[in-house]
Amino acid sequence: MPWKNQGGGPWGSGPKGPWGSGPQPVGPRPPDLEDLLRRAQDRLQQLLPGGHFSSAGIVLVLVAVALIWLMSGFFRVQSEEVGVVLRFGKYVRDAEPGLRYHWPYPIETVLLPKALRVSTLSIGMTLIDDPARRGRTMRDVPEESLMLTGDENIVDVDFTVLWRIKPNSVDPKGVANFLFNIQNPEGTVKAVAESAMREVVGRSSIQPILTGARTSIEQGVQETMQKTLDSYGSGILVQQVQMQKVDPPSQVIDSFRDVQAARADLERLQNEAQTYANRVVPEARGRASQIIQAAEGYKQQAVAEAKGQSARFLQVYDEYKKAPEVTRERIYLETMERVLGGSEKLIYSGGSSGQGVVPYLPLNELAPRRAPGPTTSQAQPQNGSTR
């Protein structure tokens, strides 16, 4: 007997299988597309005048769509942004901060890069979250900070780069170059900064790098970075390079500090010795100069006195040759005057009988005290009484 699936087949009525149940729906049913289109058409007809599509309704819809499309061209540029307007993907102009307008999509589009913001990039160090301190801590990145110096030493350099997009006063197309010439600006700046620092450090010795050459190294890195970025046409301006930490590697830093301390002691001792030499040598030179000058003065004095005595002797001799007796008498008198001028003299005139002479007379005590003997020029003979 043929089987007919009427009313659910021989096992009952309804959409059931041979075990008494039919297929059960799983999950929500998808919406009916025809039903959605029919509902949208009904709502649109309700909005149109007359409840059906007419030429006036179509024009009204097109005008509304055109107004909405034109209104979509308004955009706002924030204070730290610069609007870059593209027409069919080609750069057209820049838009200053404020409310601006461009032709709606797809004719024109606008890009809003942070052109007035100064970005900070750290190389050789990174910030990580520290749950113990409830904040962020600095972690060293050796693969970025370890560099080889010109004298074949290794130095650990952490530095920071401050950069921004070139303003229009520096480069009128700086923003456009920044957007279209490089794909990853931050990665490009980081790679160029690390390469420039390695180049400058590789030309320098470790001692100037650790002591007083930081300023020159920072300037050299900034100039090298700017030249490289300009060759890329990146539109990036490097404002400053700051070296945060410059140390030897952590494995040898203790030994290096011992060497530095020994060098400091050596310089200190050299400075002390130089200070002592600067004090002693001038004093010795001054004393030597003083002795030489005193000897020179004594020499000139002795020579002058000898010349004077010889000249005086020659003059006396000339006079002596003219009148020997008179000159001899004068010399004798001058010599006696010089010899007896400072001694005490007593003159006694009396007869040979000695009448009236006191046997003891302390003439030395009775004589008035005289001042120290006069010089030869002061002792003059009086009426020849000293003869």
Side-chain angles (χ1 to χ4, degrees), residues 7-25:
W11 294 279
S13 61
K16 298 180 179 180
W19 292 276
S21 64
Q24 300 296 326

Side-chain angles (χ1 to χ4, degrees), residues 193-361:
E194 185 176 347
S195 176
M197 180 62 74
R198 292 184 183 277
E199 178 182 352
V200 175
V201 170
R203 296 197 303 259
S204 306
S205 301
I206 187 172
Q207 193 63 31
I209 296 175
L210 297 175
T211 54
R214 292 194 177 188
T215 302
S216 60
I217 292 176
E218 291 173 352
Q219 293 177 354
V221 172
Q222 182 177 353
E223 293 175 358
T224 305
M225 286 185 61
Q226 192 63 60
K227 185 183 300 182
T228 304
L229 292 173
D230 290 343
S231 66
Y232 296 163
S234 61
I236 293 176
L237 177 64
V238 181
Q239 287 194 329
Q240 190 176 6
V241 176
Q242 298 176 347
M243 299 178 69
Q244 303 296 334
K245 184 191 70 172
V246 183
D247 289 325
S250 57
Q251 295 83 353
V252 297
I253 190 170
D254 294 335
S255 300
F256 187 85
R257 287 175 178 172
D258 293 338
V259 174
Q260 292 297 105
R263 288 180 178 176
D265 293 339
L266 175 62
E267 292 180 358
R268 178 177 58 81
L269 294 175
Q270 288 178 347
N271 293 333
E272 292 178 356
Q274 188 63 35
T275 302
Y276 177 75
N278 293 336
R279 178 174 57 84
V280 172
V281 171
E283 292 179 356
R285 289 177 179 175
R287 288 196 299 268
S289 178
Q290 181 181 4
I291 293 172
I292 292 174
Q293 291 179 358
E296 187 68 25
Y298 176 75
K299 172 186 174 182
Q300 294 178 0
Q301 179 183 1
V303 171
E305 290 180 355
K307 290 181 179 180
Q309 292 177 2
S310 62
R312 184 178 58 181
F313 179 79
L314 293 175
Q315 291 178 359
V316 173
Y317 180 68
D318 292 338
E319 296 297 329
Y320 177 77
K321 289 191 299 182
K322 294 178 182 179
E325 295 296 334
V326 176
T327 304
R328 187 164 44 248
E329 183 71 17
R330 183 175 61 81
I331 293 174
Y332 172 77
L333 294 177
E334 291 178 355
T335 302
M336 296 303 296
E337 179 182 4
R338 187 171 59 253
V339 173
L340 300 177
S343 61
E344 296 181 356
K345 298 175 287 297
L346 296 175
I347 300 174
Y348 175 76
S349 60
S352 58
S353 61
Q355 296 294 328
V357 176
V358 179
Y360 173 74
L361 180 62

Side-chain angles (χ1 to χ4, degrees), residues 154-216:
I154 298 177
V155 64
D156 190 355
V157 181
D158 296 343
F159 64 101
T160 303
V161 178
L162 303 179
W163 63 277
R164 56 166 295 181
I165 301 175
K166 284 187 177 181
N168 293 333
S169 59
V170 177
D171 187 359
K173 294 185 178 180
V175 180
N177 293 335
F178 175 80
L179 292 174
F180 306 127
N181 290 350
I182 53 177
Q183 184 176 5
N184 183 9
E186 185 172 354
T188 302
V189 173
K190 185 175 183 179
V192 171
E194 185 176 347
S195 176
M197 180 62 74
R198 292 184 183 277
E199 178 182 352
V200 175
V201 170
R203 296 197 303 259
S204 306
S205 301
I206 187 172
Q207 193 63 31
I209 296 175
L210 297 175
T211 54
R214 292 194 177 188
T215 302
S216 60

